[in-house]
Amino acid sequence: MRHLTATFLALVVTGLCAAAELPLVKVLSTGGTIAIRYDPVQKGFVPALSGEQLLEGIPDIKTVARVEVESVATIGSSDMTPDIWLKLSRRVNEVLADPVVAGVVVTHGTDTMEETAYFLDLTVTSQKPVVVVGAQRAASIKDTDGPRNLSNAIRVAISPEAVGKGAMIVMNDEINAAREVTKTSTLDVGTFRTLEFGKLGYASEDGVRFYRAPLRRQTIPLAADTRLGRVEIVMHYAGADGRLIRALLKDGPLDGLVIAGLGLGHVSSAMFDAIEEVRARTIPVVISTRVYTGRVLPLYAAKGSGVSLVKIGCVEADNLSPQKARVLLMLALTRTKETRELAAYFDR
Ligand code: ASP
């Protein structure tokens, strides 16, 4: 009997030691479809699952990593705000400063996930992996993609290959870089894609494998007193005449403006006049495009085209989408308002 007890204790101690040697991942939860269930009373999906409950869906992960969870917010990602970005990024930086933590996973709604991921890409100072993950199918749906995505995200967070690659989105067994990825489908589980350059690699139970690295990365560290200004996005469409821009100027204060222009970054001559009024107040304007891939470039000279916009001090967004250009502009504005210096942030 005594012999059996000793054997049992030895097994428990061995098991505990093995668990203690596993890498530690911190999961910061913010809400989103990955954590919602259908509520028959409200006849719709509502936030339901804590971070701990999300982990209950992937019991096997215990053999791969030690996982600790912490809630940062419980929101649909349409309620994500720059203030929550600041809180989240500061927490990610604190957590990653702990030498025992291998990486961080952020659970998040898919709707604004790419913006949060890019904000973290720009503001997290550690080389350790930051993985943002969500689901397209709610936790109460039989074939929800949440548990699989979360399991893969944790595997990427502990992967040595993921170190130095910044923030990434891991969904549908694919790894995509924060700067490059966008939500491409309202319902498809393979919604997150890097349309221009393709995924970085794959993640599944069989392993994590990278095939390329994101090269255009920069870091704009947050200070303790960093505040983000008000930066709005105005889209161009046939007949757009700049009245929304003038309304923004009236409503103030406006710290920066991003234009989702046409093609290479063009606007109508009527919208150009409104942008000129913004520039006359020395408010920075960044020109992006509503086209899904490719850079904006000042090739055409007509009023409203790139050459004329650059001439009045607008900054070109390279190949950043309007929503990502806004994230970068908000952070760059914490350092400078000067056109040439702002342009340098968009050239890196
Ligand atoms: N509405 C959800 C959100 O929080 C959608 C999702 O998570 O997929 O973005």
Side-chain angles (χ1 to χ4, degrees):
M1 180 67 186
R2 192 177 289 163
H3 174 71
L4 272 181
T5 312
T7 312
F8 174 73
L9 274 179
L11 281 174
V12 169
V13 170
T14 315
L16 285 176
C17 288
E21 276 158 23
L22 291 176
L24 178 62
V25 172
K26 197 93 177 190
V27 174
L28 304 182
S29 65
T30 70
T33 292
I34 192 167
I36 65 175
R37 280 189 186 283
Y38 187 76
D39 177 3
V41 179
Q42 297 187 56
K43 294 198 170 28
F45 290 102
V46 294
L49 266 61
S50 64
E52 286 85 356
Q53 286 169 313
L54 288 178
L55 283 180
E56 283 166 17
I58 49 169
D60 291 353
I61 206 70
K62 285 198 195 92
T63 61
V64 175
R66 287 178 293 143
V67 185
E68 291 176 2
V69 291
E70 186 179 312
S71 169
V72 174
T74 309
I75 53 170
S77 75
S78 45
D79 280 329
M80 185 50 69
T81 63
D83 281 344
I84 305 177
W85 285 342
L86 288 174
K87 179 179 166 194
L88 179 63
S89 175
R90 290 191 171 115
R91 189 63 193 129
V92 171
N93 276 309
E94 275 167 15
V95 165
L96 292 181
D98 182 343
V100 300
V101 175
V104 159
V105 170
V106 176
T107 63
H108 198 289
T110 59
D111 290 348
T112 57
M113 183 184 284
E114 66 202 62
E115 289 162 69
T116 300
Y118 188 42
F119 188 85
L120 294 174
D121 193 54
L122 289 167
T123 56
V124 171
T125 52
S126 170
Q127 293 295 302
K128 295 176 187 174
V130 176
V131 185
V132 189
V133 65
Q136 284 279 74
R137 296 180 182 151
S140 55
I141 293 179
K142 228 191 288 158
D143 58 350
T144 173
D145 50 331
R148 184 186 185 101
N149 290 341
L150 181 58
S151 164
N152 290 341
I154 292 168
R155 288 166 204 274
V156 174
I158 60 171
S159 163
E161 284 190 38
V163 173
K165 301 217 169 46
M168 292 157 276
I169 288 181
V170 172
M171 287 193 40
N172 196 42
D173 294 4
E174 296 180 359
I175 310 164
N176 282 283
R179 186 188 182 282
E180 303 166 346
V181 65
T182 196
K183 183 170 180 174
T184 63
S185 164
T186 55
L187 287 172
D188 196 334
V189 291
T191 184
F192 281 102
R193 292 171 59 194
T194 297
L195 295 171
E196 201 162 11
F197 308 111
K199 59 185 86 71
L200 299 181
Y202 294 104
S204 71
E205 277 187 7
D206 306 322
V208 171
R209 195 163 279 214
F210 281 82
Y211 293 85
R212 66 177 192 88
L215 295 180
R216 297 197 85 75
R217 294 199 55 239
Q218 60 182 315
T219 308
I220 307 174
L222 299 174
D225 60 351
T226 296
R227 279 170 192 269
L228 300 169
R230 182 172 164 211
V231 175
E232 300 288 349
I233 301 174
V234 173
M235 186 194 264
H236 197 284
Y237 39 84
D241 60 6
R243 78 181 57 188
L244 289 179
I245 294 174
R246 291 197 177 91
L248 282 174
L249 282 180
K250 247 192 240 152
D251 192 38
L254 182 67
D255 299 300
L257 180 65
V258 173
I259 303 292
L262 307 172
L264 283 167
H266 305 147
V267 298
S268 63
S269 57
M271 193 188 260
F272 178 88
D273 290 336
I275 293 173
E276 211 169 20
E277 288 169 32
V278 178
R279 290 298 304 138
R281 297 185 195 197
T282 68
I283 298 171
V285 178
V286 171
I287 308 295
S288 174
T289 176
R290 62 182 215 181
V291 180
Y292 306 113
T293 61
R295 290 176 289 157
V296 292
L297 276 179
L299 292 187
Y300 295 80
K303 182 178 170 187
S305 293
V307 173
S308 65
L309 289 164
V310 169
K311 223 182 252 170
I312 61 169
C314 293
V315 169
E316 305 249 275
D318 186 44
N319 65 347
L320 285 175
S321 65
Q323 60 272 30
K324 299 238 179 102
R326 174 176 175 262
V327 172
L328 179 55
L329 180 56
M330 284 170 117
L331 285 166
L333 283 174
T334 65
R335 300 292 198 276
T336 182
K337 263 189 81 174
E338 209 272 310
T339 302
R340 234 191 276 159
E341 288 171 13
L342 284 175
Y345 280 96
F346 285 85
D347 279 340
R348 281 176 201 136

